[in-house]
Amino acid sequence: MGGGIAAQERHEYVKGELLLKLNTGTEINQVLSRQALLQANMEVKKYFPHLDVWLVHFPTKRELDTKGGLSLLKKIPEIRFAQLNHKMQLRSNKAQKKVPSTNDDYFSDQWALKNTGQTGGMWGADIRAESAWSITDENITVNGDEIIIAVIDNIFDLNHEDLNFWKNTDEIPNNDIDDDGNGYVDDYDGWNVYDDSGDFPAVIDPHGTHVSGITAVIGFNGEGIHGVAHNTRILPVAGSSLDQSDVVAAYDYVLTIREQYENSNGNEGAFIAVTNSSFGNDNLNAGDVPLWCAMYDTLGTHGIVNVAAVANESWDVDDEGGVPETCTSDYLITVTSTDHDDKLSPGSAYGDTHVDLGAPGEMILSTVPIIQDPPPQWGESQYGYDYGRDIGTSMAAPHVSGTAALMFANMDSSQFQDYENDPANMVLQIKDWILDSVDPVSGLNSITFSGGRLNAYKALLAMHHEDPPPPAPENLVLNPGPNFPSLSWDAVTEADSYAIYRRCDYGYYVDCTPKLSPLGTSLTNTYTDWTVIQNVTAPNPEEHYQYAVRAVNEAGSSRYSNRVDAFGQSSSQKQVNKSGEDYPEKISMAHNYPNPFNPYTMIRYELPVQSVVNIEVFDMLGRRVAVLVDETKALGTHSVIFNAASLSSGVYIARFKVNGSITKDLKMQLIK
């Protein structure tokens, strides 16, 4: 095996374990009932429901070793696929010492994103990241879904300050309860397949952290590096470099989280659009691992693009084999490594059938953890985190994964509608856009399927051949004001109208959605959200709202503007009752009591949410004679006393306003 890990004995596997996929309608008990055939007490060790794969175990005997059991199982007609539980290895070298620099921003050292010859290489031998970001640097889809990249690797530094890892906020960490009911206990940070838990092991290896940084880091923050899809969050799954059942478990978790998102209309789980893997087995072929290859088909049908690194070996994959690169799934993109001169990196595999394209993988600068035991090999930290260079196809694959994530952000509304209607076909389209837009490289011609090296900019351009939609609105601001969020932005000449979007972190109110969702439209470059009261005060908790705007014309919708934040609470819906207390169902104002009165009367009113209340009293000539209430009031039942001692007998009108709107006029008769 390349990349600093010794090559393993061919077909190394876990003894006594096999992976099975059954024919539709077959029960596992139908297979277990054939124990006499296997001459062993076969039992189910684990089931991966989303991939419909079984891991079975039986004690090996002299007369029936693991391979012998596999041979017999393949003869059972109820079994669609059966294979050994193979061992896997990572596909990279160890990271080198931290790049020396006194600069907070190391972007100038990242030749893969912008090659100016800074490392002695060829100018322009890069993925044109800056140009790609000029098209989009968003991390959300046109439909408001936050794009998540699932990185299946070994160990992650979840505390790295330049990485933005996804968190399962529907799960309460460390309470030993599956709060969101997805079958995984305490998966707040992701999932650790090794220990079958949400706890991640201590960081003793840089690989997963380094791969994550290449794909996506917190970009443009004045320090550290840039990732291809900066600000896109990573779902970390520790599940590489062991046996294949761990790989199946890792992808099964990924699919679980994506299906949660689909089944809850985006309220749970995550919109996982891309997976990245950097491990495999150089000594196997697709025929040895049919279940592994079938996983990509399953993920693809859910609209997930899968990217994998090929072997770190100087050989032709088409002749020598290797998985997952020899898998024939159309939903898999296989990547080899190129250097800063646009040449195939030494020790990188190739193949004009099974290797799709090249991407930078030589001396790639990215995030690495601070390892104190053993002593750090990356140099001293400057900011509480660290950076280092690494070599291998593991470094090439995440450049493609990050590009695929940007392509999800770059879809227009029509393309995303096509994606929702037929997600598998759009995955194939994304793959075609990537492979059709590579920069032709002579050293990759005839030894890769595309004959070229990744160009992220051209891949994004390839998505829109017709008249482009209008540019995104700029300088969206939240104007100062006491009551309702008032937005304004620079007018876009090409726009016919503007679409307003809002998201809300879930708190106590039900009119929030966790992704940007359509709120309204405007024909001008201003908009007021009358459904939110901002800057509310205790005791009611505040909610965090976020707004964005898109310009619209006949060609489609622009990208999102910058986003602005407002804090407040809903003025349009009832608070969710979490304490058992009965809350008002609607805004109401009762008749004053007593009526007629002299000189005092009480007015009662109810609010389902905290609201701005104004109660004024007028005489029959329309003259205001009193202001009883003019302030923000909490949800619940309230009362106010009207003292008319200084007024003459007659009929008076109490005008009740909530959030600026007249709700009720109440006639009151004063008799002295």
Side-chain angles (χ1 to χ4, degrees):
M1 189 69 195
I5 301 177
Q8 304 295 311
E9 177 186 354
R10 184 168 179 81
H11 292 266
E12 185 179 5
Y13 54 87
V14 181
K15 293 183 178 179
E17 290 188 0
L18 298 171
L19 290 161
L20 310 177
K21 190 176 184 68
L22 309 183
N23 291 323
T24 302
T26 301
E27 300 290 339
I28 187 63
N29 289 335
Q30 293 177 254
V31 177
L32 297 181
S33 65
R34 298 176 179 264
Q35 290 181 8
L37 174 65
L38 295 175
Q39 303 177 27
N41 295 318
M42 186 171 66
E43 61 182 5
V44 174
K45 189 173 182 180
K46 189 173 290 188
Y47 176 54
F48 309 104
H50 297 271
L51 294 171
D52 195 24
V53 173
W54 301 85
L55 175 65
V56 299
H57 174 268
F58 61 89
T60 57
K61 299 181 179 181
R62 287 187 179 181
E63 64 273 20
L64 182 66
D65 60 14
T66 307
K67 287 186 177 181
L70 175 64
S71 178
L72 291 175
L73 282 172
K74 285 184 175 180
K75 298 177 181 179
I76 297 177
E78 293 90 351
I79 297 178
R80 182 180 177 188
F81 296 124
Q83 65 169 79
L84 301 170
N85 188 12
H86 296 283
K87 292 285 189 179
M88 302 296 137
Q89 304 89 33
L90 290 174
R91 286 179 160 170
S92 73
N93 290 316
K94 291 184 177 179
Q96 308 300 309
K97 187 176 180 179
K98 182 180 71 177
V99 60
S101 175
T102 58
N103 236 329
D104 283 353
D105 191 346
Y106 296 153
F107 177 67
S108 60
D109 298 312
Q110 293 182 269
W111 71 264
L113 304 183
K114 185 177 182 179
N115 192 343
T116 60
Q118 65 268 55
T119 57
M122 182 175 68
W123 186 93
D126 56 59
I127 70 168
R128 294 195 67 185
E130 279 191 318
S131 297
W133 299 333
S134 71
I135 296 177
T136 184
D137 58 359
E138 285 285 356
N139 63 342
I140 54 177
T141 70
V142 70
N143 200 37
D145 309 278
E146 183 186 8
I147 299 161
I148 304 296
I149 303 172
V151 175
I152 297 95
D153 218 284
N154 60 352
I155 302 172
F156 302 85
D157 184 356
L158 299 181
N159 297 315
H160 200 296
E161 296 181 35
D162 210 8
L163 289 172
N164 190 9
F165 288 106
W166 173 82
K167 302 298 180 185
N168 183 1
T169 56
D170 294 309
E171 191 77 14
I172 301 173
N174 304 316
N175 68 347
D176 295 326
I177 298 173
D178 180 13
D179 299 289
D180 61 355
N182 68 354
Y184 296 86
V185 175
D186 290 342
D187 62 323
Y188 176 78
D189 291 312
W191 194 246
N192 173 12
V193 172
Y194 309 137
D195 298 333
D196 200 27
S197 78
D199 295 326
F200 281 75
V203 182
I204 58 174
D205 185 279
H207 194 274
T209 306
H210 197 273
V211 167
S212 297
I214 298 169
T215 305
V217 295
I218 302 173
F220 298 107
N221 60 348
E223 55 189 27
I225 64 168
H226 286 289
V228 178
H230 47 250
N231 297 323
T232 300
R233 290 201 289 173
I234 300 292
L235 168 64
V237 184
S240 69
S241 194
L242 287 177
D243 57 72
Q244 192 190 334
S245 63
D246 291 314
V247 177
V248 174
Y251 280 104
D252 195 67
Y253 176 73
V254 169
L255 190 54
T256 298
I257 300 301
R258 174 59 190 260
E259 287 187 337
Q260 260 190 295
Y261 190 84
E262 295 168 358
N263 296 333
S264 67
N265 195 30
N267 291 323
E268 295 180 349
F271 181 74
I272 300 172
V274 186
T275 69
N276 185 94
S277 69
S278 302
F279 52 87
N281 191 308
D282 299 350
N283 302 309
L284 298 171
N285 283 296
D288 301 315
V289 290
L291 295 177
W292 189 352
C293 296
M295 289 190 313
Y296 298 120
D297 292 334
T298 303
L299 293 162
T301 59
H302 283 266
I304 300 175
V305 177
N306 303 284
V307 181
V310 303
N312 282 315
E313 297 286 357
S314 298
W315 64 34
D316 189 332
V317 169
D318 300 340
D319 295 332
E320 299 294 333
V323 292
E325 51 264 44
T326 58
C327 289
T328 58
S329 175
D330 292 330
Y331 307 102
L332 173 67
I333 303 174
T334 54
V335 190
T336 191
S337 171
T338 59
D339 65 14
H340 61 190
D341 286 316
D342 250 353
K343 297 179 180 177
L344 182 70
S345 298
S348 298
Y350 50 91
D352 63 2
T353 299
H354 293 299
V355 179
D356 288 318
L357 78 164
E362 188 86 5
M363 293 302 293
I364 302 300
L365 177 64
S366 186
T367 47
V368 294
I370 302 171
I371 302 176
Q372 300 297 337
D373 185 17
Q377 55 180 314
W378 330 114
E380 294 182 0
S381 169
Q382 292 179 331
Y383 310 105
Y385 50 82
D386 218 346
Y387 304 90
R389 296 192 183 276
D390 203 350
I391 303 171
T393 58
S394 286
M395 284 60 257
H399 286 95
V400 178
S401 300
T403 299
L406 289 177
M407 296 174 78
F408 275 90
N410 193 43
M411 287 184 194
D412 61 28
S413 53
S414 175
Q415 288 170 331
F416 198 82
Q417 184 64 55
D418 290 341
Y419 173 75
E420 291 185 314
N421 293 337
D422 190 352
N425 187 62
M426 185 56 75
V427 170
L428 301 181
Q429 181 64 74
I430 290 174
K431 181 176 180 179
D432 286 344
W433 281 324
I434 290 175
L435 299 188
D436 292 344
S437 62
V438 297
D439 283 337
V441 173
S442 59
L444 298 178
N445 186 33
S446 77
I447 65 169
T448 62
F449 181 78
S450 66
R453 182 249 313 128
L454 172 71
N455 186 318
Y457 174 58
K458 289 169 61 177
L460 296 180
L461 283 181
M463 299 178 66
H464 304 289
H465 294 294
E466 300 177 355
D467 292 337
E474 296 182 347
N475 299 319
L476 174 65
V477 296
L478 181 68
N479 300 309
N483 294 327
F484 305 99
S486 174
L487 307 170
S488 63
W489 56 91
D490 292 348
V492 177
T493 303
E494 299 89 339
D496 295 331
S497 63
Y498 301 92
I500 318 301
Y501 291 79
R502 184 185 70 190
R503 66 171 296 275
C504 177
D505 294 332
Y506 268 106
Y508 288 89
Y509 295 87
V510 298
D511 65 336
C512 304
T513 58
K515 66 180 184 179
L516 283 173
S517 299
L519 176 63
T521 59
S522 176
L523 297 178
T524 68
N525 59 327
T526 62
Y527 185 85
T528 298
D529 182 3
W530 298 104
T531 66
V532 167
I533 307 169
Q534 63 179 348
N535 303 325
V536 296
T537 56
N540 291 328
E542 294 186 351
E543 284 186 351
H544 172 205
Y545 293 85
Q546 192 173 77
Y547 297 89
V549 178
R550 296 167 63 200
V552 181
N553 64 17
E554 291 182 355
S557 300
S558 73
R559 303 190 307 276
Y560 290 98
S561 66
N562 60 294
R563 280 164 261 179
V564 296
D565 300 297
F567 295 89
Q569 70 179 32
S570 164
S571 65
S572 61
Q573 297 207 26
K574 178 188 171 184
Q575 186 179 32
V576 176
N577 188 342
K578 292 190 174 184
S579 65
E581 180 182 350
D582 289 333
Y583 295 143
E585 294 286 344
K586 61 182 180 179
I587 297 172
S588 64
M589 183 180 183
H591 288 291
N592 60 305
Y593 180 83
N595 191 29
F597 66 97
N598 180 27
Y600 298 101
T601 188
M602 182 177 66
I603 300 171
R604 292 172 60 88
Y605 59 96
E606 294 183 335
L607 302 173
V609 296
Q610 177 173 288
S611 305
V612 178
V613 176
N614 177 269
I615 301 178
E616 298 174 327
V617 180
F618 299 85
D619 63 20
M620 294 306 293
L621 297 177
R623 296 173 297 190
R624 187 174 65 187
V625 298
V627 177
L628 303 183
V629 181
D630 188 20
E631 61 182 316
T632 300
K633 290 291 189 179
L635 83 163
T637 301
H638 302 269
S639 62
V640 61
I641 300 296
F642 175 38
N643 180 0
S646 62
L647 299 176
S648 303
S649 296
V651 176
Y652 293 86
I653 304 296
R655 177 157 293 168
F656 180 44
K657 292 183 181 180
V658 177
N659 299 326
S661 299
I662 297 176
T663 300
K664 187 172 184 178
D665 284 347
L666 183 69
K667 288 186 178 182
M668 305 178 294
Q669 186 173 14
L670 172 62
I671 299 178
K672 289 188 174 180

